[in-house]
Amino acid sequence: MRFYYRAYVACIAIYLAGSSLLLCAQPAPDYVWYRNAVVYALDVDTFKDSNADGIGDFQGLIQQLDYLHGLGITVLWLSPFQPTPDRDDGYDITDYYGVDPRLGTPGDFAEFMFQARQRGMRVIMDLVINHTSDEHPWFRSARQGKHSPYRQWYVWRDNRPADAGKGMVFPGVQKETWTFDSVSTTYYFHRFYDFQPDLNYSNPQVEAESKRIIGYWLNQGFSGFRLDAVPFIIEEDGKNVDRPEHRFDQLVAIRRHIQLHGQEAILLGEANVAPEESNDYFGKDGVGMQMMFNFFVNQHFFYTLATGELQPLVRALEQTRDIPEGAQWANFLRNHDEIDLGRLTTRQREKIYAAMGPDKNMQLYDRGIRRRLAPMLGNNPQRLAMAYSLLFALPGTPVLRYGDEIGMGDDLRLKERLSVRTPMQWTDAPYAGFSTTAPFRPVIDAGEYDYRKINVASQRTDPASLLTLTTKLIRLRKEHPAIGLGKWIISDHKAGDLLITQFTDERETILTVHNFAPNRASAELACPGQVLTDLFSGEDIPVKNGKVQLTVKEYGYHWFQVR
Ligand code: NOJ
Ligand code: CA
């Protein structure tokens, strides 16, 4: 009997141990790495020059990896780095399988990938497969005429289509979407500049080649792609340019192919679409792209920054709330392009222009502003800090743009979007410590944003700098993954200027408060716990009868842990 009793107890113990092991083996809720990443976007040629030719390169980037790691970055997004005539800053590729020799050798590239991995950082790259450069050997061949093996890789018409003057992505600069090719004496289709002919995705050979490109780079160690110009890849080229049909099955095919090569690899889509279209891109049940930039929230975020009116931002967040499980928004303030305000009403856009880009030279393509974040916010440190705090406290994954962590400015003398792509400002040494020789694109060396005033070296030792704040925000954000993964609600209070958001996961509840007004704002918060701990100051605020009375300074912000 005793034997049976002991055996029984032993069985129970083994069963319990087994189930607790099983419980331990459950993946942590943040196992989906991209949902709690901190992404940093950079272009190798403007980041750091190692060999004194004035052009940033992979060896220079390697030198700065510890800076990025120290900042807390977990994912680097590299702008196009393949061989290019560089007429659209690399988004015009001539060899999908190469490394632009200006940036280094394939060996330098491989060393960079190794060094990033050593520091636990993932790398994603721009995948520019909607179009090639017109100097790509495929297009050179296709131009030779109907007998070229590459003819059907592009989209041709014998005569100028009636809608050739419609559907331009760069209105005001680009004149048409069909351009006459003098070699084949026919017209080719291009959504972007005329030197970027669209690839023809109804040709299975093009689809097969794009898969080879994807496979190639995943095997070089990338964790995924920022997929350029997504709606234009999957549209029926040249047909009904104003309201084209989209082939979402192509996105599913790309996603499948990506996961064949790397289980964890992701697609981060550049698709500036209406909220109701987003789920077509994420795919039903999340079988499309895992991530997309939230352009919709971005535009409303700036509207709220410009006007202080909270509701448009709140509505934009609500309208983009429901996405498939496993999908994630990527949030950003500014990127390498103009800020696109095309989804706002004319009145809303005008208000942003007036507040943030009043001169014609600051505006671009009849829809946006070609300025950096700091100048758009009047270089007001408290306002910048609040905007950054909110970026890290939005549901989704934050994406930073190089130089914005120190509040770099823009150079409006440069054409179109190059204004926001000047070399990184590392120190107050000549050429901003970016290079020891005059860079291929000038550093900002005058005015408020002069590199002698705005640079990494001076900000890293300044406890009140934007760089110090960004580092803190990144640390906090990582310590509180509920923001990226948890459930969220926006407090429906009538306090006007304060955006109050509550994030909850199985570990904790976080409450964030942002004041968009240039004056103090107060509100009574309904609060689930007994004490709020301010995660910046460590201060505890008691909750009385489920309520807290809060006063927030002008452009102030708080992150509270509810205890
Ligand atoms: C979107 C990129 O962000 C932009 O910089 C580029 O000009 C176009 N796609 C064309 O590739
Ligand atoms: Ca160089």
Side-chain angles (χ1 to χ4, degrees), residues 88 91 128 131 170 192-193 196 226 228-229 270 336-337 417 421:
D88 183 15
Y91 285 91
V128 189
H131 47 265
F170 302 129
F192 296 89
Y193 298 110
Q196 290 167 319
R226 178 261 188 197
D228 186 61
E270 187 217 11
H336 61 297
D337 290 329
R417 296 152 297 159
R421 302 177 183 179

Side-chain angles (χ1 to χ4, degrees), residues 77 80 88-92 126-131 169-170 191-193 196 226-230 232 270 295 335-338 365 416-417 421:
W77 154 24
D88 183 15
D89 208 16
Y91 285 91
D92 47 334
D126 244 293
L127 184 62
V128 189
I129 53 172
N130 172 66
H131 47 265
V169 174
F170 302 129
R191 267 291 181 177
F192 296 89
Y193 298 110
Q196 290 167 319
R226 178 261 188 197
L227 190 55
D228 186 61
V230 183
F232 304 120
E270 187 217 11
F295 284 96
N335 64 15
H336 61 297
D337 290 329
E338 81 289 356
Y365 310 140
E416 294 176 59
R417 296 152 297 159
R421 302 177 183 179

Side-chain angles (χ1 to χ4, degrees), residues 258-277:
I258 279 179
Q259 294 207 300
L260 209 67
H261 281 267
Q263 282 296 314
E264 292 198 339
I266 58 142
L267 285 172
L268 163 55
E270 187 217 11
N272 183 350
V273 297
E276 59 276 14
E277 292 174 279

Side-chain angles (χ1 to χ4, degrees), residues 148-168:
S148 157
Y150 290 99
R151 182 70 180 176
Q152 296 310 325
W153 285 45
Y154 297 89
V155 186
W156 302 94
R157 294 282 184 274
D158 288 339
N159 300 307
R160 184 174 190 274
D163 60 0
K166 283 190 179 165
M168 284 83 69

Side-chain angles (χ1 to χ4, degrees), residues 229-287:
V230 183
F232 304 120
I233 299 175
I234 60 171
E235 73 182 356
E236 261 203 277
D237 278 322
K239 291 200 188 124
N240 205 1
V241 283
D242 280 340
R243 297 188 73 76
E245 294 281 317
H246 291 112
R247 285 198 45 200
F248 294 104
D249 58 311
Q250 286 179 342
L251 285 181
V252 178
I254 297 179
R255 159 80 179 265
R256 273 211 204 105
H257 184 72
I258 279 179
Q259 294 207 300
L260 209 67
H261 281 267
Q263 282 296 314
E264 292 198 339
I266 58 142
L267 285 172
L268 163 55
E270 187 217 11
N272 183 350
V273 297
E276 59 276 14
E277 292 174 279
S278 317
N279 283 346
D280 289 335
Y281 289 81
F282 284 127
K284 200 166 170 294
D285 302 325
V287 294

Side-chain angles (χ1 to χ4, degrees), residues 71-287:
L71 187 57
I73 302 303
T74 63
V75 179
L76 300 176
W77 154 24
L78 300 188
S79 294
F81 56 82
Q82 291 129 316
T84 172
D86 221 18
R87 294 179 67 192
D88 183 15
D89 208 16
Y91 285 91
D92 47 334
I93 292 172
T94 49
D95 174 7
Y96 283 96
Y97 299 96
V99 171
D100 183 345
R102 298 176 323 138
L103 311 180
T105 64
D108 294 325
F109 162 77
E111 191 184 337
F112 154 70
M113 293 297 279
F114 170 75
Q115 294 285 0
R117 203 164 50 242
Q118 286 292 99
R119 290 161 177 83
M121 287 192 270
R122 293 174 183 269
V123 191
I124 63 174
M125 64 179 270
D126 244 293
L127 184 62
V128 189
I129 53 172
N130 172 66
H131 47 265
T132 68
S133 158
D134 62 351
E135 293 179 37
H136 194 293
W138 302 336
F139 190 70
R140 283 173 184 258
S141 166
R143 293 180 71 187
Q144 298 311 310
K146 303 202 165 141
H147 304 296
S148 157
Y150 290 99
R151 182 70 180 176
Q152 296 310 325
W153 285 45
Y154 297 89
V155 186
W156 302 94
R157 294 282 184 274
D158 288 339
N159 300 307
R160 184 174 190 274
D163 60 0
K166 283 190 179 165
M168 284 83 69
V169 174
F170 302 129
V173 176
Q174 183 190 351
K175 299 278 175 277
E176 54 200 354
T177 44
W178 290 92
T179 287
F180 182 69
D181 166 39
S182 57
V183 180
S184 62
T185 64
T186 51
Y187 290 81
Y188 62 91
F189 180 68
H190 53 92
R191 267 291 181 177
F192 296 89
Y193 298 110
D194 59 2
F195 54 82
Q196 290 167 319
D198 271 48
L199 283 163
N200 174 14
Y201 275 86
S202 54
N203 178 351
Q205 287 177 310
V206 171
E207 207 179 319
E209 186 66 27
S210 71
K211 287 184 176 163
R212 274 191 287 275
I213 295 166
I214 288 168
Y216 176 80
W217 289 112
L218 287 177
N219 281 299
Q220 303 287 316
F222 282 101
S223 293
F225 303 97
R226 178 261 188 197
L227 190 55
D228 186 61
V230 183
F232 304 120
I233 299 175
I234 60 171
E235 73 182 356
E236 261 203 277
D237 278 322
K239 291 200 188 124
N240 205 1
V241 283
D242 280 340
R243 297 188 73 76
E245 294 281 317
H246 291 112
R247 285 198 45 200
F248 294 104
D249 58 311
Q250 286 179 342
L251 285 181
V252 178
I254 297 179
R255 159 80 179 265
R256 273 211 204 105
H257 184 72
I258 279 179
Q259 294 207 300
L260 209 67
H261 281 267
Q263 282 296 314
E264 292 198 339
I266 58 142
L267 285 172
L268 163 55
E270 187 217 11
N272 183 350
V273 297
E276 59 276 14
E277 292 174 279
S278 317
N279 283 346
D280 289 335
Y281 289 81
F282 284 127
K284 200 166 170 294
D285 302 325
V287 294

